[in-house]
């Protein structure tokens, strides 16, 4: 109550004292300038970044450096194209709906953008194919027909249902969505072996092959570029509000 009275008195006296009022306005202006500085903007933005509802440990220098590398790779400056956003707008809503029906976090919808660039005709040198880049054996295991002139890995809806079943199975093994993403890339058995050998189940501490070690970073970066187009140089989408700004901008003030 005493502090309240003092603050009220200070406000009242500042109205009577134009010099004091000007000083208070300067203090408020300085506080706002600090809050809106590039450093604070970056800090607030990075604190908002999640993958599968789990915050990325961007306070660690090695994690921040690696994340920024892939964020730059997917930025407009590097891509010089709006193809990513066009493909996302066309396919991701349908993928997200299917994943949700299985209880899979929405962020996994970015896998086909990373794996196949949403091109079902792509086949890897190892034989992985379709939107989700399934190996033939894994595709069959999760209900897809592959062979005899038919390849359901190229069917977006059917392959997404299969991917959702596979992801759910991996979650049953690892009970951690970040590890599920890594296991999707390297395989559950190989990831378990790495965890057992290295004595840690922290993805960001595990020493994995380059592709798997960068997989979650790529997914998280792709998510940021798609959800915050204006922030990452995709000015054609400037009329859309970036998700980060909607959620966090006022917290900076």
């Amino acid at each position: 109550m005493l502090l309240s009275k003092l603050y009220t008195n200070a406000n009242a006296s500042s109205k009577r004292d134009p010099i004091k009022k000007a000083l208070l306005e300067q203090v408020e202006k300085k506080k706002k300038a600090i809050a809106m500085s590039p450093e604070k903007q970056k800090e607030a933005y990075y604190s908002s970044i999640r993958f599968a509802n789990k915050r990325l440990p961007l306070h660690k220098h090695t994690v921040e450096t690696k994340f920024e590398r892939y964020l730059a790779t997917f930025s407009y400056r590097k891509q010089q194209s709006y193809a990513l956003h066009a493909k996302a707008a066309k396919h991701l809503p349908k993928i997200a709906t299917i994943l949700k029906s299985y209880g899979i976090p929405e962020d996994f919808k970015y896998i086909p953008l990373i794996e196949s660039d949403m091109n079902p005709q792509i086949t890897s040198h190892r034989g992985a194919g379709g939107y989700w880049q399934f190996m033939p054996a894994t595709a069959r295991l999760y209900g897809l027909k592959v062979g005899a002139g038919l390849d359901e890995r190229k069917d977006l809806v059917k392959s997404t249902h299969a991917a959702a079943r596979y992801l759910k199975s991996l979650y049953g093994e690892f009970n951690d969505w970040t590890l599920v993403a890594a296991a999707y890339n390297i395989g559950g058995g190989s990831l378990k072996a790495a965890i057992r050998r290295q004595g840690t189940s922290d993805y960001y501490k595990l020493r994995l092959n380059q592709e798997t070690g960068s997989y979650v970073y790529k997914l998280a970066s792709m998510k940021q570029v798609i959800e915050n187009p204006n922030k990452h140089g995709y000015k054609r989408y400037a009329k859309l509000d970036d998700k980060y700004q909607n959620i966090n901008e006022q917290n900076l003030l």
Side-chain angles (χ1 to χ4, degrees), residues 42 46 58 61-74 217 221:
K42 179 180 175 180
Y46 276 20
L58 292 169
H61 179 69
T62 53
V63 175
E64 179 186 19
T65 301
K66 201 169 182 179
F67 172 72
E68 288 180 344
R69 185 191 315 156
Y70 292 104
L71 199 59
T73 299
F74 296 129
Y217 293 90
S221 299

Side-chain angles (χ1 to χ4, degrees), residues 141-239:
L141 182 63
Y142 288 93
L144 297 179
K145 295 175 182 177
V146 181
L150 179 64
D151 190 346
E152 291 184 336
R153 295 177 298 175
K154 297 178 182 179
D155 183 302
L156 180 64
V157 172
K158 290 180 179 179
S159 65
T160 299
H161 277 285
R165 289 191 287 270
Y166 182 33
L167 291 166
K168 195 166 185 176
S169 172
L170 289 172
Y171 187 75
E173 293 183 51
F174 294 98
N175 198 38
D176 180 283
W177 288 114
T178 303
L179 292 177
V180 166
Y184 186 90
N185 180 256
I186 198 175
S190 296
L191 184 59
K192 281 182 179 177
I195 290 171
R196 189 165 54 248
R197 188 169 58 251
Q198 297 177 40
T200 180
S201 59
D202 185 340
Y203 171 80
Y204 300 98
K205 293 180 180 177
L206 283 167
R207 296 184 301 279
L208 303 165
N209 66 62
Q210 184 176 357
E211 185 180 349
T212 308
S214 64
Y215 202 67
V216 173
Y217 293 90
K218 288 180 180 178
L219 290 172
S221 299
M222 181 65 77
K223 174 185 176 181
Q224 293 308 309
V225 165
I226 298 299
E227 291 191 351
N228 302 290
N230 191 36
K231 191 172 189 67
H232 297 290
Y234 293 88
K235 300 301 182 184
R236 188 182 296 171
Y237 289 78
K239 65 178 183 290

